[in-house]
Amino acid sequence: MSDEPVEVVAMGKKSRRPDHIPALKAIKKIKRSPFIVADIEAALHDDVHVPCAVGFLVVKPGEDLASKSEYYIETYFSEDNDFSISDFKKRSERMMLDFIERLAAVVSDEKEIRTVYFHNFSRYDGIIVTRAFTSQIGKYSFQTVMRKHKMYELKVYRGNEKKKLLFRIRDSYLLLPAALNNLAQDLCPKLGSKGTIPYEKLRLEYLPEIGQQLLAYLKQDIRLLGGVMLKAQEIYWNLYKIDIVDTITLSSLALSIFRMHYYDPKSWPIHIPTRNQERFIWRGYYGHADVYKPYGYNLYYYNVNSLYPFIMKTFPMPGERGSQDGTSGIII
């Protein structure tokens, strides 16, 4: 039996796709793109989260958000319609419709703006926003990019023809995966910190009472998100001449930076296997399991923020007695 490696023969028609990942050319953009940041607050009604406040802010590169008045942030509150619409869910639907209509008008006027960011859109906010668009099918059409139950992008078109994009909604958390308050402290501390809101009062019966506080909380979240995204956009642009608006996730951003500035396909190409080659490689993978029984003496056990919860038991080592306080033995 020969020890020489077996050459995998490509079968079938020759594919038109490249056999290796190509490098990226430098982007010809001469300036960064403006964008919109938005946020939603919901109240619990009949055990369902119903949106009660929403707002957005237009952010342009080079702006100082700390000097901008809060009136630049447009907000909508469901209880502003409490006299004309008696049902809370109907008021919420009207509020979301007003928000969508205004958002569409702004991006239509601002020709360069096509991207809207929510922090945590891929899960919570995306469900609420998509629900609002489904009630407007015919007037708007949309297309989602989903993966593993996460909504990576929501593309919105006017009417039923998906030819001209109106705007796209993305999740800023997929680009900057951290809590908004922590990001703000690191990237734009002069904008202040995230506010507080008594979430136990986010119910229909308390909304008139906490309305002003809720809108102030919403505006600060939007301001912080705008400052965080603006600073992150500036950093990546200055270092790599890449606009974060052109990527959806942090992984795609990192890959773009690598392919544009560090990847050499001539010397070290990253090959793309054919289907036959891929199947051949996978046949070389076999199941494998290891069992480790670490042990120690006089140990201190720590759990960092419950990131790695486990059940810990101690047993005496063979031929000896375990200590009464459980500081020696095997951990399983």
Side-chain angles (χ1 to χ4, degrees):
M1 184 174 181
S2 174
D3 293 332
E4 293 295 324
V6 178
E7 181 181 356
V8 184
V9 180
M11 300 178 64
K13 296 181 179 180
K14 187 176 181 180
S15 176
R16 293 182 179 180
R17 69 177 186 178
D19 60 355
H20 66 274
I21 296 177
L24 289 180
K25 296 181 180 179
I27 298 176
K28 296 181 179 180
K29 289 179 67 172
I30 60 175
K31 62 179 181 179
R32 292 171 282 158
S33 300
F35 53 88
I36 294 174
V37 291
D39 193 21
I40 293 178
E41 297 297 335
L44 195 63
H45 180 61
D46 294 336
D47 295 326
V48 177
H49 286 269
V50 181
C52 60
V54 63
F56 71 93
L57 170 67
V58 176
V59 181
K60 297 182 179 181
E63 286 185 328
D64 182 11
L65 296 186
S67 63
K68 294 190 70 170
S69 170
E70 66 175 14
Y71 295 106
Y72 284 92
I73 304 175
E74 296 192 28
T75 58
Y76 300 85
F77 186 44
S78 63
E79 301 314 285
D80 289 341
N81 298 315
D82 61 343
F83 294 106
S84 58
I85 305 175
S86 59
D87 183 69
F88 173 57
K89 290 186 177 180
K90 295 291 185 181
R91 295 197 298 269
S92 174
E93 291 174 1
R94 182 65 205 182
M95 177 197 72
M96 291 301 298
L97 177 59
D98 291 342
F99 167 73
I100 292 172
E101 288 289 327
R102 179 58 181 155
L103 204 58
V106 169
V107 298
S108 296
D109 294 337
E110 301 279 353
K111 301 299 183 181
E112 296 180 336
I113 300 179
R114 287 293 177 267
T115 308
V116 182
Y117 288 106
F118 285 80
H119 207 58
N120 197 25
F121 178 78
S122 60
R123 293 186 181 272
Y124 183 77
D125 293 338
I127 297 173
I128 296 177
V129 174
T130 305
R131 186 190 305 159
F133 275 110
T134 54
S135 65
Q136 299 299 315
I137 291 179
K139 191 171 187 179
Y140 298 100
S141 57
F142 58 91
Q143 183 178 10
T144 61
V145 178
M146 301 285 296
R147 185 182 180 188
K148 295 182 179 180
H149 307 292
K150 282 187 178 182
M151 188 181 301
Y152 282 67
E153 186 177 61
L154 176 68
K155 292 183 178 180
V156 180
Y157 306 84
R158 191 181 293 278
N160 292 321
E161 295 186 5
K162 297 181 180 179
K163 294 182 179 180
K164 188 175 181 180
L165 177 69
L166 190 58
F167 58 87
R168 56 189 173 230
I169 307 177
R170 293 176 176 171
D171 188 353
S172 56
Y173 190 87
L174 297 179
L175 276 170
L176 301 171
L180 181 59
N181 191 47
N182 295 339
L183 291 170
Q185 290 176 3
D186 292 336
L187 298 178
C188 52
K190 63 181 180 180
L191 293 180
S193 60
K194 185 179 172 70
T196 59
I197 192 74
Y199 281 99
E200 67 276 3
K201 287 193 173 183
L202 278 178
R203 294 178 175 273
L204 174 59
E205 56 269 26
Y206 295 113
L207 288 183
E209 175 187 340
I210 66 169
Q212 294 303 316
Q213 183 182 0
L214 180 62
L215 291 177
Y217 175 80
L218 176 70
K219 288 180 179 180
Q220 179 62 2
D221 274 6
I222 294 173
R223 183 185 289 108
L224 292 181
L225 180 56
V228 163
M229 294 300 294
L230 190 61
K231 185 62 178 179
Q233 184 189 45
E234 177 186 344
I235 291 173
Y236 283 106
W237 181 262
N238 292 337
L239 289 176
Y240 306 107
K241 284 296 181 287
I242 290 180
D243 194 346
I244 62 175
V245 175
D246 298 326
T247 59
I248 299 179
T249 67
L250 184 61
S251 299
S252 63
L253 176 61
L255 183 60
S256 298
I257 293 172
F258 173 74
R259 292 173 63 190
M260 186 179 297
H261 297 282
Y262 304 103
Y263 178 48
D264 183 2
K266 293 183 179 180
S267 302
W268 301 99
I270 301 176
H271 292 279
I272 304 175
T274 64
R275 180 174 298 181
N276 184 46
Q277 291 170 337
E278 184 180 17
R279 288 177 178 174
F280 179 83
I281 294 172
W282 274 108
R283 280 161 52 190
Y285 285 89
Y286 297 92
H288 184 75
D290 289 330
V291 177
Y292 297 95
K293 292 186 177 181
Y295 64 91
Y297 301 91
N298 300 321
L299 301 179
Y300 293 91
Y301 306 102
Y302 295 96
N303 182 9
V304 182
N305 295 332
S306 298
L307 289 176
Y308 306 100
F310 58 87
I311 300 175
M312 182 177 64
K313 298 179 181 180
T314 59
F315 297 90
M317 296 299 295
E320 71 175 33
R321 289 186 176 182
S323 61
Q324 295 298 319
D325 59 357
T327 55
S328 66
I330 301 174
I331 308 171
I332 64 170

